[in-house]
Amino acid sequence: MKKIQILSFFIIVVVFSFIYTGCSARSNIATAKSGAQLWGENCLRCHNTPSPKTFSDAEWDAAVLHMRVRANLTASEATKIVEFLKTAN
């Protein structure tokens, strides 16, 4: 019984280490990308290519906030996308 508990604990530790490593790797990749790259990869796969001038800065803030949840964007990714759209606006 004790061997099963030790083995179970070991498996849990290994699984969580893989999950943690995968999450940190994704965030490291995302931090290396520009707002334009993130916009192209996340927004343009579902939407037609709107001009950044289509919306005002406030409208882009609201749109990206809404889409952050739907597209599963991190806070850093959403911030970079909004900054790109506002500078191109």
Side-chain angles (χ1 to χ4, degrees):
M1 185 69 166
K2 184 131 177 132
K3 289 182 182 181
I4 292 173
Q5 289 175 338
I6 292 171
L7 182 61
S8 298
F9 177 75
F10 177 73
I11 290 171
I12 290 170
V13 169
V14 170
V15 168
F16 278 112
S17 68
F18 280 122
I19 291 170
Y20 177 76
T21 304
C23 292
S24 65
R26 180 179 184 265
S27 65
N28 289 340
I29 291 169
T31 55
K33 293 184 179 182
S34 70
Q37 287 174 311
L38 293 167
W39 181 64
E41 291 173 3
N42 293 289
C43 306
L44 299 180
R45 68 180 136 151
C46 297
H47 299 281
N48 292 332
T49 312
S51 168
K53 295 179 182 184
T54 303
F55 299 111
S56 68
D57 290 352
E59 290 171 322
W60 279 124
D61 284 332
V64 173
L65 180 63
H66 171 75
M67 291 308 299
R68 179 179 172 206
V69 174
R70 296 185 59 104
N72 197 25
L73 299 171
T74 65
S76 174
E77 291 169 332
T79 300
K80 285 183 176 186
I81 290 170
V82 167
E83 288 173 357
F84 162 71
L85 292 168
K86 286 180 178 181
T87 57
N89 187 351

